[in-house]
Every structure is written in structure tokens, then in C-alpha cells.
Amino acid sequence: MRKLFFLIAFLATTIGVNAQKFALLDMEYILKNIPAYERANEQLNQVSKKWQAEVEAINTEAQTMYKNYQNEAAFLSKEQKQARQDAIVKKEQEASELKRKYFGPEGELFKKRTSLMSPIQDEIYNVVKDIAELRGYQLVLDRASDSGIIFGSPKIDISDEVLNKLGYK
């Protein structure tokens, strides 16, 4: 009787697990095949380089001010030294604030990335959701992420289908 119970429990579990459907997709592959994503990335890189150059210019200016101060410190009065030190600190703070404004957690780069990438990501999500609902998938995993997927059968990879529904490839 006990063996029969375990056999029934095992079969019920096996049937339940087999009834679930899974799919994989490769988000990196999908994004590489969407020209709008590549254009957005290029635009972000250009803006980032421009802003980084602004920050570096102010940092360079602060370093120049400091070197000049060191060279001239022996000839300056106490008040002049303090004024120069204050100017150097102010310039360093200006660079730091600009860096935070552009590259901080809520900075301009984050906002720009969100505004450029969100529509693309939302479109991909909606297509994946439609395919999952159509095919009855309970779970769709991204094989490109570090999720610990060791092997995934190409038969359950829906990346090309997502690209096709998005109108690419």
C-alpha cells in the first residue's frame, strides 16, 4: 500500500512538472538585431563622452590651479593662500557636482538611457508576453543573463520569433 502511495505521488508530481511549459530567449541577441537599440547606444556613448570631457576639463582646471598655487605659495600672503585654496576647493566641488549631475544614480545619463531604452524594452516585453500567452509558457528565461542556465535546448528558444514579431530579421 505504501509503495502504491509513493508511486502515485511520484507520477502526480512528474505529470505536474511536465505540464508546465518553458521558453528561453537571448536578450543580447535580440537587442543586437534591433537597429534602434544600436542607435540609442551610440547616442548614449556620444553624450557620455561629451559630459565626461566637461568633467575632465574642470578637473584639469582644478589641477592647474593647484600646481600654480604650489609654485607660487612661497610668494603669497596668508589671505592670498586662503583665497587660492578656497578657489581650488570650489573648482573641485564644481567638478564633483557636475559628475554627479551627469553620471549619478538619478543623473542625466540615467534619465537619457531610460528615455531611449524603455520604449524598446517595453516593446520586447509585450511581444514576449504575447508569445508566452499564445503558446502557454509559464516561464520565459533570458539565457543571456547570469541566471545559471547551463543548457537550454534550441527548440525552446523563442528569440527569433520575438525578432520576427518585432519586424526584424
Side-chain angles (χ1 to χ4, degrees), residues 13-28:
T13 305
T14 305
I15 291 169
V17 169
N18 288 337
Q20 295 179 0
K21 291 178 75 177
F22 303 97
L24 293 176
L25 63 85
D26 187 338
M27 191 60 85
E28 286 179 19

Side-chain angles (χ1 to χ4, degrees), residues 64-108:
T64 302
M65 290 170 68
Y66 181 71
K67 286 178 185 175
N68 291 340
Y69 167 76
Q70 284 182 321
N71 291 336
E72 300 168 2
F75 307 110
L76 298 174
S77 68
K78 213 175 204 181
E79 294 80 25
Q80 289 174 326
K81 285 181 182 180
Q82 189 60 49
R84 292 265 186 104
Q85 290 171 356
D86 292 344
I88 292 167
V89 168
K90 185 177 178 184
K91 190 57 76 174
E92 288 172 342
Q93 288 173 343
E94 182 183 339
S96 181
E97 287 173 21
L98 192 61
K99 186 175 183 178
R100 187 176 34 77
K101 175 187 170 195
Y102 288 149
F103 302 107
E106 297 295 321
E108 295 298 319

Side-chain angles (χ1 to χ4, degrees), residues 17 38 40 77 90 92 99 105 110 112 136 138 142 151 164 169:
V17 169
E38 294 297 323
S77 68
K90 185 177 178 184
E92 288 172 342
K99 186 175 183 178
F110 175 79
K112 187 125 180 110
Q138 284 83 27
D142 180 10
F151 172 77
N164 288 335
K169 203 169 183 186

Side-chain angles (χ1 to χ4, degrees), residues 15-71:
I15 291 169
V17 169
N18 288 337
Q20 295 179 0
K21 291 178 75 177
F22 303 97
L24 293 176
L25 63 85
D26 187 338
M27 191 60 85
E28 286 179 19
Y29 171 75
I30 291 170
L31 292 173
K32 284 179 184 176
N33 284 285
I34 297 177
Y37 178 78
E38 294 297 323
R39 286 191 301 272
N41 253 344
E42 183 58 36
Q43 192 175 354
L44 286 171
N45 287 338
Q46 288 174 355
V47 167
S48 178
K49 286 178 185 177
K50 176 186 166 203
W51 289 340
Q52 186 62 37
E54 285 180 40
V55 171
E56 287 175 6
I58 295 173
N59 274 330
T60 301
E61 193 176 335
Q63 289 173 354
T64 302
M65 290 170 68
Y66 181 71
K67 286 178 185 175
N68 291 340
Y69 167 76
Q70 284 182 321
N71 291 336

